[in-house]
Amino acid sequence: MSSAEWVLNLSHYAPIAGAIGLVAAVGVYRAMARRSPGTGDLPIIAGRIEEGAMAFLRRQYTVLLPVLLVVAGLLSVAVGWPVGLAFVLGGVCSLGAGFIGMRAATKANVRTAEAARAQGAAAALRVAFSGGSVMGLAVASLGLLGVGIMLNVLLDLRDPAAITEIQFGHFTEIIAGFAMGASSIALFARIGGGIYTKAADVGADLVGKLEAGIPEDDPRNPGVIADNVGDNVGDIAGMGADIFESYVDATVSAAVLGATGMGLMGPARVNATLLPFALIVAGLGASMLALFCMRWLAKGSAAVALRAVQVLGAVFFLMMALALVWALPVNEAGNGGAGLYWAIIAGTVGGILVGLLTEFYTSAGPVYRIAEASKTGPATNLIAGLAVGLESVLGPILVICAALFVAHSQGGLLGIALAAVGMLATTGVVMTVDAYGPVADNAGGIAEMGRLGKEVRAITDHLDSLGNTTAAIGKGFAIASAVLTAVALFAAYVTEVGRTSGHPLALSLLDNRVIIGMLLGGVVPVMIGSLTMTAVGKAAGAVVQEVRRQFREIKGLLEGTAEPDAAKCVDIATTAALREMVVPGLIAVLSPVVVGYFLGTAALGGLLAGSMVAGSLLALMMANAGGAWDNAKKYIEKGLLGGKGSDPHKAAVVGDTVGDPFKDTSGPAISISIKVMAVVALVIAPWLGALGR
Amino acid sequence: MSSAEWVLNLSHYAPIAGAIGLVAAVGVYRAMARRSPGTGDLPIIAGRIEEGAMAFLRRQYTVLLPVLLVVAGLLSVAVGWPVGLAFVLGGVCSLGAGFIGMRAATKANVRTAEAARAQGAAAALRVAFSGGSVMGLAVASLGLLGVGIMLNVLLDLRDPAAITEIQFGHFTEIIAGFAMGASSIALFARIGGGIYTKAADVGADLVGKLEAGIPEDDPRNPGVIADNVGDNVGDIAGMGADIFESYVDATVSAAVLGATGMGLMGPARVNATLLPFALIVAGLGASMLALFCMRWLAKGSAAVALRAVQVLGAVFFLMMALALVWALPVNEAGNGGAGLYWAIIAGTVGGILVGLLTEFYTSAGPVYRIAEASKTGPATNLIAGLAVGLESVLGPILVICAALFVAHSQGGLLGIALAAVGMLATTGVVMTVDAYGPVADNAGGIAEMGRLGKEVRAITDHLDSLGNTTAAIGKGFAIASAVLTAVALFAAYVTEVGRTSGHPLALSLLDNRVIIGMLLGGVVPVMIGSLTMTAVGKAAGAVVQEVRRQFREIKGLLEGTAEPDAAKCVDIATTAALREMVVPGLIAVLSPVVVGYFLGTAALGGLLAGSMVAGSLLALMMANAGGAWDNAKKYIEKGLLGGKGSDPHKAAVVGDTVGDPFKDTSGPAISISIKVMAVVALVIAPWLGALGR
């Protein structure tokens, strides 16, 4: 077969590839779930965490489903019912990915602790890793399944040459609706999960560690179950939804650009439209191969294995992508594949580089600078941390600019979208390593609560510290992919405005509306940052009150003779997080609608550009400063500058507490809002066009 | 005379108006300097502050003059010697404004303290206010004198109809060089002054208040003179140079747009070019009138007087502007003046509104929120302060957007530049009120060091607290004017590129180079923020070492029997500040050159837009968070939540310490760098055009 036929076939069979991935995820899940969850307190503690996490999801879904239906109704009126339906499907796929991942993670955590106790470090790593890989596979497979079904329903791939202009038009509108559904759910999952996890963490620690003087994860602390639940709803369900969104959005924006924006006709246009789907099929295959290789990698150092598996995934993917695009005719002259290949490489390599830069800023020299500054108190610790955070944006932005430059010069706007696809194609393995972290973290918590002893805790601590590094890398990756995806969506938005309004959108910086839109766009991420920081404070305050109340009112709790009412804390954190997620989420979803409606499509284009610039800087700064503060505290706890309880340690704890909402709530919320704004703009473009804005 | 003739005459006589303003400044200075500087220790202490401040300026000028000459040389080669010469003139005017203001402020501080002792509150207010008004008049008059001379030398105003295309071209290039000279000096003065003031402040307080347990401004503290010097070099010389730059830049960008960008011919073009000069002549007149009214205003409440004088200045100015532009033909059809008048109003009113919003965020509800959060420790204080800072950008940006909208819809790009002129025309009075604050602050320090007793201190404390509010308003105004000026300069840059390269710059957001430029532009203010925060830390560290050494080695110092070596601390802070200002300053000046040279004029346009969006957000956030933290601490010190020494107070001190470099170093450095980047781009546009970039 020629590469053109390969592309056609792979995208035709994309839903089947997605289904195979899902079956693999279920298989890994079953094998993992068959392992022993331990004895004694262990299954009970784990059961409570699972219960709390599932209760959060259930209640969140109860809030989100009606919203999903209302928005679907509005979209049906404004842009047509197929878009509304696709929106619901996208949302449901996103919910499903979060659900499967959470289920797996809450099974894997206790089994990791038990494996550490019964079989040692290597077995524990394998269990935690399989827990993560269920999430990784679920995210990639569900994404592939969803967009694959949309593709096959909307375009008749058995006779691609016969696809009409109108069919291409419907395809772009409807598949964008699917992306918006995925995005909207992801947004709220991310913000709600982020608020929950830090509210519980800060709340439990403030009273437990500082006031009652008991260690972290101590079972007497009523907030400790909520804290562990938070790791799951924030770092598993939230992060999963975030990456799921990037994955879907990148694919959709590339497909939309292929279908509308390139001025292509005939087979070249079909190839450009189908290529992103073929690429993510290849990416899922590469991820599964790499995950399979973990069998051998896990025998060596765990730290090396966790990196090697990601690099392997990228290498496998690039080899397959080479086979797909090298000779693929995507322009009128019958060539262009080679240029697109460089665009894909730029994305894949860029993602890895940003991850490494993030690791540098959150584990190397800069962290020691913050630790050093802690010697003169919390104020200097904070100034140093903020300075490191600000400084850390330079490298990632330069990498992103370089990737944009290569991608655009080699493949135009489609090249940029394919760079985003290239960065995200190996989501299966990237998300696996990402999700491994919170599983290991939870395993440590369960080991502590179940009093499994120092040796077991040492194993889980080691796995956890690896998880912290991979989590930092994952955050950098998430932001970099968000920026690239946002640029791709932005390009798709502009071409879609051109298609539906009949005249191209110039978007000149000399146009006053564009400048005003940019300034407003810059404000949106800043406001979301402010609101989410305040939300964590409020929600944590509610948890603090409850933990204090229990310490005061439940007799024998501190002595260990009475049980805390953990469920109550879980309930309070859930209620607070769900309440506080609404306003920042709505701002992200509605700002493009309001600006587009009142100021027009040019201002909306400016809004996207402004939010992208300000949002990427703020998200990177917050994520990296938070990670660096966290590790500065950890380094001191390991004995640097006097260790635990010293004055530098106290100063570092202040920095860490400020960094917590930075890195786990506001940073991620901002990063996801950039994409959401862009995808909303893409979906409402036909509506704005019809209104003549 | 018709309004067209008025415009012609006023701009023709602009240098004379500037000279009159300077004479008035000298008159006010002399009257103030004739007052008694008090007896005993007072003149000695004041002498040390004056000496330190002048030594800083002298050493800073020694560093800057050679730099000025080197850059002038480079400009002469790249764009022609007249541009190089104008650059030097602009720099010298900026240096002059800083010098005069500093001289006046260091005379006025001790005289304010003495007036408070001998004559009471009203007299003290008058002295402090005259000190400020010398600065205000000097900034506005020197600016007017400088641009007025340039105008008259470059264009023959006796026969405006005969001005040729080439003459207009030279005019825009050369007067832009003047603006760049003013900007470059302002940049370094602002960054160096900002680092100095906070290094001395933090350094003196850390050792004095926290380690030695002696009160603020205690004469035993070796760092206290340096701290008072810092108020002058940062808030007087630095702020003055900053506003001077905005004033010159706004005028120049409006003149450049009039001369090149409007596609106008004949009298309309001349009118558009001359109008900004006529407006600032009117603004200076209005400022002097308002300052004169202070005679009566000062009899009532000081708080009311300080606001009323600014509003009066604005009202006078708007009345004069109305007379100037209402019937002025500035377009081919022979009308347009009315539209321009709305643009000017938008700027003037916008400046006042942003000031009021800033006051709200740094003195009202949000400050109580931060104080409240201090109850649970420094971490929650910091989270609350950062959230308030982030939140506070919304209002000012909305006001700026509204001003841009009105200005552009009524007067196009020229309207935007005239809005900036409208905001800055009353610089004479705005800067007066601004400079009043540090004079009052210094008076309080001198009263404390000179042991003038509680009653005197109560008067100066009251004047100082008013100064804190006006300073916060001034910062908001400085940032708002910087954003508007930057947009105006940006428009001037684009038209200048079009003029010199022969084809208009499209600057579409779909152009990959524009997007890359925007992302890079966003990074520049972030890096300047990071570097200046780190610089304050380093410079403060040097001061801390020295103060500690003196407490250790000078016997009898703490007992009050030996004198501290204050000059040594001043010297150390000076050296550190001058060293640390270099890198952030160079980044701002060189980034447009590098991006323009390597990536071209489109990327440079993107750079300006990105720096404007990210820079305005970051500067507003930092300035307002810093001001709010400061006042949260002050409110607690006045008795809220347990007062001085309580746990909430300790937490609030941490926030205040973090906020110090935010509001006085990094925020201002970022805000000024936005303008500098834009003016550099404007100046190098012909060079880039000649290179074909």
Coordinates of all heavy atoms in Angstrom, one line a residue, chain B residues 607-648:
Chain B
L607 N 6.3 41.2 19.2 CA 7.0 41.4 20.5 C 6.4 42.5 21.3 O 6.2 42.4 22.5 CB 8.5 41.6 20.2 CG 9.4 41.7 21.4 CD1 9.9 40.4 21.8 CD2 10.6 42.7 21.2
L608 N 6.2 43.6 20.6 CA 5.6 44.8 21.3 C 4.2 44.4 21.9 O 3.9 44.8 23.1 CB 5.5 46.0 20.4 CG 6.8 46.5 19.8 CD1 6.6 47.8 19.0 CD2 7.9 46.7 20.9
A609 N 3.4 43.8 21.1 CA 2.0 43.5 21.5 C 2.1 42.5 22.7 O 1.4 42.7 23.7 CB 1.2 42.9 20.4
G610 N 2.9 41.5 22.6 CA 3.0 40.5 23.7 C 3.5 41.1 25.0 O 3.0 40.9 26.1
S611 N 4.5 42.0 24.9 CA 5.1 42.6 26.1 C 4.0 43.6 26.7 O 4.0 43.7 27.9 CB 6.4 43.4 25.7 OG 6.1 44.6 25.1
M612 N 3.2 44.2 25.8 CA 2.2 45.1 26.3 C 1.2 44.3 27.1 O 0.8 44.7 28.3 CB 1.6 45.8 25.2 CG 0.8 47.0 25.5 SD 0.0 47.5 24.0 CE -1.2 46.1 23.8
V613 N 0.7 43.2 26.6 CA -0.3 42.4 27.3 C 0.2 41.9 28.6 O -0.3 42.1 29.7 CB -0.9 41.3 26.4 CG1 -1.8 40.4 27.2 CG2 -1.6 41.9 25.2
A614 N 1.3 41.1 28.5 CA 1.8 40.4 29.7 C 2.4 41.5 30.7 O 2.2 41.3 31.9 CB 2.9 39.4 29.3
G615 N 3.0 42.5 30.1 CA 3.7 43.5 31.0 C 2.6 44.3 31.8 O 2.8 44.6 33.0
S616 N 1.5 44.7 31.1 CA 0.6 45.5 31.8 C -0.1 44.7 32.9 O -0.3 45.2 34.1 CB -0.5 46.1 30.9 OG -1.2 45.0 30.2
L617 N -0.4 43.4 32.7 CA -1.0 42.6 33.7 C -0.1 42.4 34.9 O -0.5 42.5 36.0 CB -1.4 41.2 33.1 CG -2.4 41.2 32.0 CD1 -2.5 39.9 31.3 CD2 -3.7 41.6 32.5
L618 N 1.2 42.0 34.6 CA 2.1 41.7 35.6 C 2.4 43.0 36.5 O 2.5 42.9 37.7 CB 3.4 41.2 35.0 CG 4.3 40.3 35.8 CD1 3.5 39.1 36.4 CD2 5.4 39.8 34.9
A619 N 2.6 44.1 35.8 CA 2.9 45.4 36.5 C 1.8 45.8 37.4 O 2.0 46.1 38.6 CB 3.3 46.5 35.5
L620 N 0.5 45.7 36.9 CA -0.6 46.1 37.7 C -0.7 45.1 38.9 O -1.0 45.5 40.0 CB -1.9 46.0 36.9 CG -2.2 47.1 36.0 CD1 -3.4 46.8 35.0 CD2 -2.6 48.4 36.8
M621 N -0.6 43.8 38.6 CA -0.7 42.8 39.7 C 0.3 43.1 40.8 O 0.0 43.1 42.0 CB -0.6 41.4 39.0 CG -0.7 40.3 40.0 SD 1.0 39.9 40.5 CE 0.7 38.5 41.6
M622 N 1.6 43.3 40.4 CA 2.6 43.5 41.4 C 2.4 44.8 42.1 O 2.6 44.8 43.4 CB 4.0 43.5 40.7 CG 4.4 42.1 40.2 SD 6.0 42.1 39.4 CE 6.7 40.5 40.0
A623 N 2.1 45.9 41.4 CA 2.0 47.1 42.1 C 0.8 47.1 43.1 O 1.0 47.5 44.3 CB 1.8 48.3 41.1
N624 N -0.3 46.5 42.7 CA -1.5 46.5 43.6 C -1.3 45.5 44.7 O -1.7 45.8 45.9 CB -2.7 46.2 42.8 CG -3.1 47.4 41.8 OD1 -2.6 48.5 42.0 ND2 -3.9 47.1 40.8
A625 N -0.8 44.3 44.4 CA -0.6 43.4 45.5 C 0.4 44.0 46.6 O 0.1 43.9 47.8 CB 0.0 42.1 45.0
G626 N 1.4 44.6 46.1 CA 2.4 45.2 47.0 C 1.8 46.3 47.9 O 2.0 46.3 49.1
G627 N 1.0 47.2 47.2 CA 0.3 48.2 48.0 C -0.7 47.7 49.0 O -0.8 48.2 50.1
A628 N -1.4 46.6 48.6 CA -2.4 46.0 49.5 C -1.7 45.4 50.7 O -2.2 45.5 51.8 CB -3.3 45.0 48.7
W629 N -0.6 44.6 50.4 CA 0.1 44.0 51.6 C 0.6 45.1 52.5 O 0.5 44.9 53.8 CB 1.3 43.2 51.0 CG 1.0 41.8 50.7 CD1 0.3 40.9 51.5 CD2 1.5 41.1 49.6 NE1 0.4 39.7 50.9 CE2 1.1 39.7 49.7 CE3 2.3 41.4 48.4 CZ2 1.3 38.7 48.8 CZ3 2.5 40.4 47.5 CH2 2.1 39.1 47.7
D630 N 1.1 46.1 52.0 CA 1.7 47.2 52.8 C 0.6 47.8 53.7 O 0.8 47.9 54.9 CB 2.2 48.3 51.8 CG 2.9 49.4 52.5 OD1 3.0 49.3 53.8 OD2 3.4 50.3 51.9
N631 N -0.6 48.1 53.1 CA -1.6 48.6 54.0 C -2.3 47.6 54.9 O -2.7 48.0 56.0 CB -2.7 49.3 53.1 CG -2.3 50.7 52.8 OD1 -1.6 51.3 53.5 ND2 -2.8 51.2 51.7
A632 N -2.3 46.3 54.5 CA -2.8 45.3 55.4 C -1.9 45.3 56.7 O -2.5 45.3 57.8 CB -2.8 43.9 54.8
K633 N -0.6 45.4 56.5 CA 0.3 45.5 57.7 C 0.0 46.8 58.5 O -0.1 46.7 59.7 CB 1.7 45.5 57.2 CG 2.7 45.4 58.3 CD 4.1 45.8 57.9 CE 4.2 47.3 57.6 NZ 5.6 47.7 57.3
K634 N -0.2 47.9 57.8 CA -0.4 49.2 58.5 C -1.7 49.1 59.3 O -1.8 49.6 60.4 CB -0.4 50.3 57.5 CG 0.9 50.6 56.8 CD 1.2 52.0 56.6 CE 2.6 52.3 56.2 NZ 2.8 52.3 54.7
Y635 N -2.8 48.5 58.7 CA -4.0 48.5 59.4 C -3.9 47.7 60.7 O -4.4 48.0 61.7 CB -5.1 47.8 58.5 CG -5.6 48.7 57.4 CD1 -5.0 49.9 57.1 CD2 -6.6 48.3 56.5 CE1 -5.4 50.7 56.0 CE2 -7.1 49.1 55.5 CZ -6.5 50.3 55.2 OH -6.9 51.1 54.2
I636 N -3.1 46.6 60.6 CA -2.9 45.8 61.8 C -2.1 46.5 62.8 O -2.4 46.5 64.0 CB -2.2 44.4 61.4 CG1 -3.2 43.6 60.6 CG2 -1.8 43.7 62.7 CD1 -2.6 42.3 60.1
E637 N -1.1 47.3 62.3 CA -0.3 48.1 63.2 C -1.2 49.2 63.9 O -0.8 49.6 65.0 CB 0.8 48.7 62.5 CG 1.9 47.7 62.2 CD 3.1 48.3 61.4 OE1 3.0 49.5 60.9 OE2 4.1 47.6 61.2
K638 N -2.2 49.6 63.3 CA -3.1 50.6 63.9 C -4.0 49.9 64.9 O -4.9 50.6 65.5 CB -3.9 51.3 62.9 CG -3.1 52.4 62.2 CD -4.0 53.2 61.2 CE -3.1 54.1 60.4 NZ -3.8 54.4 59.1
G639 N -3.9 48.6 65.1 CA -4.7 48.0 66.2 C -5.7 46.9 65.7 O -6.2 46.2 66.6
L640 N -5.8 46.7 64.4 CA -6.7 45.6 63.9 C -6.1 44.3 64.4 O -4.8 44.1 64.4 CB -6.7 45.7 62.4 CG -7.8 45.1 61.6 CD1 -9.1 45.8 61.9 CD2 -7.5 45.1 60.1
L641 N -6.9 43.3 64.7 CA -6.5 41.9 64.9 C -5.4 41.8 65.9 O -4.5 40.9 65.8 CB -6.1 41.3 63.6 CG -7.1 41.3 62.5 CD1 -6.5 40.7 61.2 CD2 -8.3 40.4 62.9
G642 N -5.3 42.6 66.9 CA -4.2 42.4 67.9 C -3.1 43.4 67.8 O -2.2 43.5 68.7
G643 N -3.0 44.1 66.7 CA -2.0 45.2 66.6 C -0.5 44.6 66.4 O -0.3 43.5 66.2
K644 N 0.4 45.6 66.6 CA 1.8 45.3 66.5 C 2.3 44.1 67.4 O 1.9 44.1 68.6 CB 2.6 46.5 66.8 CG 3.1 47.3 65.6 CD 4.1 48.4 66.0 CE 4.5 49.1 64.8 NZ 5.5 50.2 65.0
G645 N 3.1 43.3 66.9 CA 3.7 42.2 67.7 C 2.8 41.0 67.8 O 3.3 39.9 68.2
S646 N 1.5 41.1 67.3 CA 0.7 39.9 67.4 C 1.1 38.9 66.2 O 1.8 39.3 65.3 CB -0.8 40.3 67.2 OG -1.0 40.9 65.9
D647 N 0.5 37.7 66.3 CA 0.8 36.8 65.2 C 0.3 37.2 63.8 O 1.1 37.1 62.9 CB 0.3 35.4 65.5 CG 1.2 34.6 66.5 OD1 2.4 35.0 66.6 OD2 0.7 33.7 67.1
P648 N -0.9 37.8 63.8 CA -1.3 38.3 62.4 C -0.4 39.4 61.9 O -0.1 39.5 60.8 CB -2.7 38.9 62.7 CG -3.2 38.1 63.9 CD -2.0 37.8 64.7

